[in-house]
Amino acid sequence: MPEYSNKLLAIARETQASESQLPLMAQTSGSQFLLQPNSDKVCLFFHGFTATPEQFAIIGKAFYRAGYHVLIPLLPGHGIAGEWNGDNPPPLPEDKQVYQNFGLHWLETARTLGKKIIIGGLSGGSTLAAWLALEHPEQIDKALIFAPYLSGSNKVVDLFVRIFDIYFEWRHDPQVISFGYDGFVMPALRVFLDMGAEILAKVKNEKAQNQKAAPMLIVSSESDRAVGNREHEKLFNAVIQFQPKSWYICFDDVLDIPHNMMTQAEGNEHVDLLISLALAYANSNVYWEEMVALSDRIEHGDAFETAIEKLELYGRIAPEMAAMMRIIDASIEALQD
């Protein structure tokens, strides 16, 4: 077995030994690791706020089959068993530095395991991934930013999060699974609202002449009732100015893809489409401007193969992207409206 595989096993065992000392919830297995016998490609995924690593198990297996080591660490304060309620809320951090230090630790860990690093996350986890993509772009090949929490879908709710320190309990559809805690105190969520504001301020700062970012796939859904899609567009429109290989995809309302979009168990009946998109982006090396040109050629009658030949995209765009063009076309139109 290669020497660095022993390093991988040591990381997994050390993490699992540490988490074995915690009273983890019955439905969580803690951090998850999928280790290749020989690979220099690593995926690092951060699950959503109040959730657990199980949320990324499906997409993690897809990237594992594509040849990546996969790391899905348990976020600080998450997955702990207890009788949590308003009088005894779960032990979620209320300082963004806790998450940022955690993200930096795992990014450094990923870098010791491979040369090609892809990071990703959902909701608060993708806010953390976006922060890393801006702070350490030279260390990250691509970032998969699924429904980042930059603001809520309602400005009144944002004000509510900023002002009140009450306990809030999620309202769950009884037909779907919910990973993790049932509720939280507002200061724990405020951490990500503050981090989101920091991210948007950073990318829109006109004085930051040397701003850089890792290429980002920013994914939204019109059916998402939890986060503000307009903020996702603002992030993309700012980032594309200095990272032209970033893409923005917004799933049409007809697909009914919810905020918790990573698994069918959480209500996404089109999770295979989401995973195919993520893999296609990871395996492509194409500027957004070229995707707009590709969309335009197809709209005017060219077949996908003909269009990529004319645009000299062979070898740089994943063949699976052909099945994604309708979604990409709709996202381009939405940005141009």
Side-chain angles (χ1 to χ4, degrees), residues 49-168:
F49 175 67
T50 74
T52 62
E54 278 75 11
Q55 195 170 57
F56 273 83
I58 303 300
I59 192 172
K61 289 176 182 176
F63 271 86
Y64 175 75
R65 290 192 294 270
Y68 290 81
H69 301 296
V70 178
L71 313 178
I72 316 173
L74 179 67
L75 288 178
H78 287 66
I80 308 299
E83 296 295 326
W84 309 122
N85 52 48
D87 295 324
N88 183 39
L92 293 163
E94 297 180 13
D95 181 354
K96 66 182 179 182
Q97 195 70 46
V98 173
Y99 289 109
Q100 290 171 345
N101 288 341
F102 177 84
L104 290 169
H105 165 75
W106 280 102
L107 176 59
E108 185 58 33
T109 299
R111 291 182 65 235
T112 68
L113 305 178
K115 296 179 181 179
K116 180 177 181 180
I117 309 298
I118 289 179
I119 66 170
L122 173 71
S123 192
S126 66
T127 306
L128 177 58
W131 180 82
L132 287 169
L134 289 167
E135 292 294 321
H136 298 279
E138 71 286 348
Q139 299 177 11
I140 299 166
D141 283 81
K142 288 183 178 176
L144 308 175
I145 311 298
F146 301 109
Y149 180 54
L150 306 173
S151 74
S153 59
N154 187 305
K155 295 301 180 185
V156 173
V157 174
D158 284 351
L159 186 62
F160 195 83
V161 173
R162 289 203 178 279
I163 293 176
F164 296 101
D165 292 343
I166 65 168
Y167 180 80
F168 177 86

Side-chain angles (χ1 to χ4, degrees), residues 21 32 48 61 88 92 104 108 117 127 133 147 151 161 183 187 198 200 208-209 227 229 250 258-259 289 321 326 333:
Q21 305 302 310
Q32 296 190 14
K61 289 176 182 176
N88 183 39
L92 293 163
L104 290 169
E108 185 58 33
I117 309 298
T127 306
S151 74
V161 173
E198 177 184 331
L200 289 173
Q209 299 295 326
V227 297
N229 291 346
C250 185
H259 177 65
E289 185 178 83
M321 200 59 71
R326 185 171 64 177
E333 290 177 10

Side-chain angles (χ1 to χ4, degrees), residues 77-310:
H78 287 66
I80 308 299
E83 296 295 326
W84 309 122
N85 52 48
D87 295 324
N88 183 39
L92 293 163
E94 297 180 13
D95 181 354
K96 66 182 179 182
Q97 195 70 46
V98 173
Y99 289 109
Q100 290 171 345
N101 288 341
F102 177 84
L104 290 169
H105 165 75
W106 280 102
L107 176 59
E108 185 58 33
T109 299
R111 291 182 65 235
T112 68
L113 305 178
K115 296 179 181 179
K116 180 177 181 180
I117 309 298
I118 289 179
I119 66 170
L122 173 71
S123 192
S126 66
T127 306
L128 177 58
W131 180 82
L132 287 169
L134 289 167
E135 292 294 321
H136 298 279
E138 71 286 348
Q139 299 177 11
I140 299 166
D141 283 81
K142 288 183 178 176
L144 308 175
I145 311 298
F146 301 109
Y149 180 54
L150 306 173
S151 74
S153 59
N154 187 305
K155 295 301 180 185
V156 173
V157 174
D158 284 351
L159 186 62
F160 195 83
V161 173
R162 289 203 178 279
I163 293 176
F164 296 101
D165 292 343
I166 65 168
Y167 180 80
F168 177 86
E169 194 164 299
W170 296 115
R171 294 181 180 178
H172 296 301
D173 183 337
Q175 302 301 315
V176 302
I177 286 177
S178 174
F179 297 114
Y181 299 137
D182 291 329
F184 58 92
V185 289
M186 285 299 175
L189 179 59
R190 193 177 303 148
V191 167
F192 291 102
L193 190 61
D194 290 344
M195 200 185 307
E198 177 184 331
I199 288 167
L200 289 173
K202 189 177 184 69
V203 297
K204 293 192 293 184
N205 185 0
E206 296 179 359
K207 297 180 181 179
Q209 299 295 326
N210 298 317
Q211 180 62 56
K212 296 180 181 179
M216 298 184 192
L217 171 65
I218 301 168
V219 179
S220 290
S221 170
E222 290 182 351
S223 299
D224 192 333
R225 302 294 177 255
V227 297
N229 291 346
R230 290 299 179 188
E231 303 303 309
H232 299 167
E233 290 185 17
K234 290 177 182 177
L235 175 62
F236 171 76
N237 286 328
V239 168
I240 196 66
Q241 303 302 315
F242 50 86
Q243 181 40 265
K245 291 183 181 179
S246 293
W247 297 6
Y248 174 76
I249 303 298
C250 185
F251 289 111
D252 191 275
D253 198 41
V254 71
L255 295 173
D256 196 27
I257 294 178
H259 177 65
N260 290 339
M261 59 178 63
M262 306 315 302
T263 66
Q264 184 175 358
E266 292 176 288
N268 183 4
E269 297 295 331
H270 303 280
V271 68
D272 289 345
L273 182 63
L274 178 72
I275 292 172
S276 295
L277 172 66
L279 284 167
Y281 178 74
N283 293 324
S284 297
N285 184 26
V286 178
Y287 295 92
W288 180 250
E289 185 178 83
E290 292 174 315
M291 292 304 299
V292 174
L294 177 61
S295 172
D296 185 64
R297 284 193 174 275
I298 292 174
E299 183 180 350
H300 286 85
D302 282 354
F304 179 79
E305 292 291 329
T306 302
I308 65 172
E309 181 178 0
K310 289 179 179 177

Side-chain angles (χ1 to χ4, degrees), residues 288 295 299 326-337:
W288 180 250
S295 172
E299 183 180 350
R326 185 171 64 177
I327 295 170
I328 293 169
D329 293 345
S331 299
I332 291 171
E333 290 177 10
L335 286 169
Q336 293 173 339
D337 286 345

